[in-house]
Amino acid sequence: MSEPASISYGIASRYASAVFEISNENGELSDLETSVNELSAALDASEDLREVISSPLISRTEQGNAIAAVAAKLGLTAALSSTLGLMAQKRRLFALPQLVKRLEELLAEHKGEVTAEVTSAEPLTKEQSEKLSAMLAETIGKQVKLQTTVDESLIGGLVVKVGSRMVDTSIRSKLNALQNVMKEVG
């Protein structure tokens, strides 16, 4: 992680921990999960929202008003809404994507889930995703949520990352390994 990304993640982690603890104490974790999903979708969908949270040209007051309007529109939990307001006051809304990511991690951890990053040469079918998820759950012993991406340069096969473990069964990696062996021979 680069230094600025690490700093943003550190800031976001502290806010996320506070929101998670408050929501847990109030028995609102399912509401928090819904709010986090809504906020994540809004960040993905709205270029204007990403601009508001990252632009140094937008004043604290304008950022605060904008994020309050977004929170109200999305129906975010009180704990998350007030945290976003505090982040706006402190000029820390730039860390909002990391806050969402960290909250997703805390919620998944609480539910006993792990996220597997799966990269394939072509999109996985629903059946393939379900089989892979079941197989990983059996291996890991926890419920597995797949985060899939497509990378056509793999040619075929999969690259699966769960935590610090990675399994690369792609044709690209096998061809690279073969190429290295050929270099050693000749």
Side-chain angles (χ1 to χ4, degrees):
M1 221 184 281
S2 69
E3 191 173 325
S6 177
I7 291 169
S8 295
Y9 192 77
I11 290 168
S13 291
R14 290 189 290 280
Y15 284 110
S17 295
V19 170
F20 181 82
E21 291 303 319
I22 291 168
S23 298
N24 193 18
E25 287 172 10
N26 294 336
E28 299 175 344
L29 286 181
S30 63
D31 294 337
L32 177 63
E33 184 171 16
T34 302
S35 290
V36 169
N37 291 338
E38 292 286 331
L39 188 55
S40 178
L43 279 170
D44 289 343
S46 176
E47 178 67 35
D48 290 339
L49 179 57
R50 289 190 301 273
E51 178 68 25
V52 165
I53 67 170
S54 62
S55 176
L57 302 176
I58 299 173
S59 73
R60 290 175 201 246
T61 306
E62 291 171 328
Q63 277 188 330
N65 292 340
I67 205 68
V70 168
K73 173 91 170 141
L74 296 176
L76 303 182
T77 64
L80 186 54
S81 295
S82 50
T83 299
L84 295 177
L86 180 62
M87 289 174 73
Q89 284 177 346
K90 304 272 185 189
R91 299 290 284 177
R92 292 189 171 158
L93 279 178
F94 64 88
L96 186 55
Q98 292 85 356
L99 172 81
V100 169
K101 183 178 189 317
R102 184 64 186 134
L103 281 169
E104 289 171 341
E105 291 169 356
L106 289 169
L107 289 162
E109 189 178 303
H110 180 75
K111 293 190 315 188
E113 282 182 351
V114 294
T115 300
E117 296 175 22
V118 179
T119 307
S120 59
E122 55 188 48
L124 297 177
T125 65
K126 184 177 180 185
E127 183 182 332
Q128 290 171 326
S129 295
E130 289 170 356
K131 282 183 180 178
L132 180 59
S133 184
M135 183 187 73
L136 289 171
E138 186 179 311
T139 303
I140 296 168
K142 291 184 177 183
Q143 187 177 346
V144 178
K145 185 171 133 184
L146 298 182
Q147 185 177 28
T148 60
T149 56
V150 175
D151 179 359
E152 293 177 359
S153 71
L154 294 180
I155 303 170
L158 299 171
V159 178
V160 180
K161 294 179 194 171
V162 179
S164 61
R165 297 188 301 190
M166 182 175 98
V167 177
D168 187 346
T169 63
S170 67
I171 293 175
R172 179 183 64 189
S173 70
K174 291 178 180 179
L175 288 173
N176 288 341
L178 184 60
Q179 185 178 22
N180 289 337
V181 168
M182 296 298 285
K183 285 180 184 176
E184 292 173 10
V185 171

